[in-house]
Amino acid sequence: MAEMIDIDLFDMDERIIMNKASEGVPLSSLTRERLINNLSFARNISTEQAVTDLLDGLKAKISRLSDGEWDALKLKIPFSTFYDAESNVDEVPADEEAE
């Protein structure tokens, strides 16, 4: 039986990073090691302390997952994420479209 892992373990920023890091990668090729390597590369080229801290924390969370948890988790990627009205350019109020 597959182990259950709750995606709430990851905050929204971590979910977005994981979605982007796994984009275009076939599920069969999406290994924990590959994702950690992608995150390590991003961390090594980042100059922002907040970003490096976020990536270090995310790598640590992923590293602590058991093999069963990882296998269950990767089936849920891409994670659902949300956007607020201010950051989503697709949401234009009807009265503004007419202008």
Side-chain angles (χ1 to χ4, degrees):
M1 181 176 182
E3 296 180 41
M4 294 302 296
I5 183 79
D6 190 349
I7 66 168
D8 288 337
L9 170 68
F10 304 102
D11 68 26
M12 198 57 56
D13 291 333
E14 292 170 332
R15 291 180 193 184
I16 291 169
I17 290 169
M18 289 180 70
N19 286 350
K20 215 49 176 157
S22 60
E23 197 171 78
V25 178
L27 190 60
S28 60
S29 299
L30 184 58
T31 64
R32 181 180 3 197
E33 293 75 26
R34 181 179 184 154
L35 182 58
I36 289 173
N37 286 339
N38 287 347
L39 296 174
S40 293
F41 177 77
R43 194 239 185 261
N44 288 337
I45 63 171
S46 178
T47 58
E48 296 290 326
Q49 186 64 47
V51 173
T52 59
D53 291 345
L54 175 65
L55 292 169
D56 284 341
L58 181 54
K59 285 177 14 183
K61 284 181 185 179
I62 294 168
S63 295
R64 285 191 300 263
L65 296 175
S66 70
D67 290 342
E69 288 171 329
W70 169 252
D71 290 339
L73 180 70
K74 77 178 185 177
L75 296 175
K76 298 177 182 180
I77 296 174
F79 298 131
S80 61
T81 56
F82 69 87
Y83 300 93
D84 60 18
E86 291 179 10
S87 65
N88 188 351
V89 294
D90 293 334
E91 291 184 22
V92 179
D95 60 336
E96 288 184 19
E97 286 180 356
E99 293 178 22

